Amino acid sequence: MDYNNKLEKLALQLFSVDAVKFGDFITKSGINTPVYFDLRVIVSYPDIMVLITTLLYDIVVKDAKCDHLCGVPYTALPIATLLSIQAKIPMLMRRKEAKGYGTKKMIEGHYKPGQKCLIIEDVVTSGSSILETVKDLHKEGLIATEAVIILDREQGGRQNLEANKVHMKSLFTMTKFIEILLGHGKITNDTAVKVQDYLKGTQAPPTESTVNRILLPYEKRAELATSQIAKRLFTIMATKKSNLCLSVDLTSSTKILDLLEKVGEHVCLVKTHIDIIEDFTDVFLRQLKQLADRFNFLILEDRKFADIGNTVSLQYLKGLYKISEWADCVTAHSLPGEGILKALNGCVNGVNRGVFLLAEMSCEGNLISPDYTEASVKMAEKYPDLITGFVCQKKETFSDPGLIQLTPGVQLESTKDDMGQVYNTPEKVVLDNGADVIVVGRGIVTAKSPEAQVVIYKDTLWKCYLKRVSGKIE
Ligand code: 5IU
């Protein structure tokens, strides 16, 4: 029997066991629908289970390059089990609720961060169930960018999933399914037209996660972050009520330490350019670390690594500065490709480290194109433990709510410097452009009273953030 015959057979069998019904129904989300799928009943029909498994195996699973299969609870769980056995690919199980005791683990089974997981689901409407599973897998450092499903209701799920970087393959679209039933005289033309009209008029709303990066509070995003450094930074931001990163572009170590002594309590992150300091010593680093501990901020070395992996690894671990030993995170260009992310390991001597990847720059005439930005975001997806976020200027650049948008080029007035730097206002970058952590350098450092100015920036930026998450914009 060829593929199309098997599909027809499956559609007819599903119809005959009432896994699909026509009439007037109300869906989970409260909308009326003339067609209703309930695939939970298929566990009572071993022949149908076998047919579904064979088809899913043939179209996707047999060629899938994945380390695990994971069914979306509950209907897809037995199907995932059968596929796991047939393909000899280990399965993972996602809980619906976290255990009430012990670890709050949502994913059962043995796995390692960085492994790939193929998602199995029965019916997709908005795609939100798959996205919940993806989120839980991401939290464990697993990669989930592919899903295979039985039926796509064609109500926006595919688009929602694509927007969240999940590619879906289905056995049936609703249109195809209806066509088969109509062709076999199982439903009338009227019913088929009703379903088609319904599909045209009823698209599921975009799922929460395609819009929520901008509207979610930092506490919530800490929970969604995979990178440990992103988690810590979000938590610090929420605790200190500060989304301000101070860029200490000063060439004297004592001046840096004096400044941080005065302003450290107001910032969540301190950004350094270690190679501009003229009197650098190890003692400076120790004192910087002590300030970071005392005032609870993280340190970002803005090294903008840009070489081949081997050189970057040496620049990161060795030399005078031994950046990996003291910087919680660093910045890196995506220009050299993935080798750079392999060099910047997410864990150095048992301590978590992060990377902000450059996806855009604030200066006029920079050569970064929209394609380059998109490719940088794509490249980061494979390194969920390492990537803390992106240095970028626009909210559209990425959607993952567990990642941080670090935006430089900010002053209270929009201006420029005489070497191409472009400044936007706090309102513009937080409310319009999606900035999560805002980098301010000269706006504070060269002010007459940095200790007064830092409070102004902190309060202004935090107010913008509160307005943003209140949902009263957009
Ligand atoms: N920085 C930018 N723009 C960028 C990137 C980094 O300004 O696109 I990537 C750095 C440079 C400087 C700091 O260390 O952020 C901004 O300092 P001022 O606020 O003083 O311009």
Side-chain angles (χ1 to χ4, degrees), residues 247 249 271 273 302 304 358 361-362 391 408 421 423 441-442:
S247 182
D249 296 341
K271 185 171 88 58
H273 282 292
D302 193 4
K304 299 194 182 68
L358 261 81
M361 289 192 80
S362 63
V391 189
Q421 172 74 306
Y423 292 111
R442 284 164 287 175

Side-chain angles (χ1 to χ4, degrees), residues 344-356:
L344 298 169
N345 205 315
C347 180
V348 177
N349 299 328
V351 184
N352 290 313
R353 296 291 181 227
V355 169
F356 279 97

Side-chain angles (χ1 to χ4, degrees), residues 330-382:
V330 295
T331 52
H333 282 287
S334 49
L335 182 80
E338 265 181 60
I340 199 158
L341 298 182
K342 289 188 179 134
L344 298 169
N345 205 315
C347 180
V348 177
N349 299 328
V351 184
N352 290 313
R353 296 291 181 227
V355 169
F356 279 97
L357 200 62
L358 261 81
E360 279 156 344
M361 289 192 80
S362 63
C363 41
E364 279 180 327
N366 72 77
L367 301 182
I368 294 181
S369 68
D371 283 351
Y372 180 97
T373 301
E374 198 183 318
S376 308
V377 172
K378 185 108 203 107
M379 183 172 127
E381 276 169 27
K382 286 202 218 154

Side-chain angles (χ1 to χ4, degrees), residues 41 47 79 178 215 226 243 397:
V41 299
D47 289 350
I79 300 166
I178 296 297
L215 298 176
T226 305
N243 48 7
T397 305

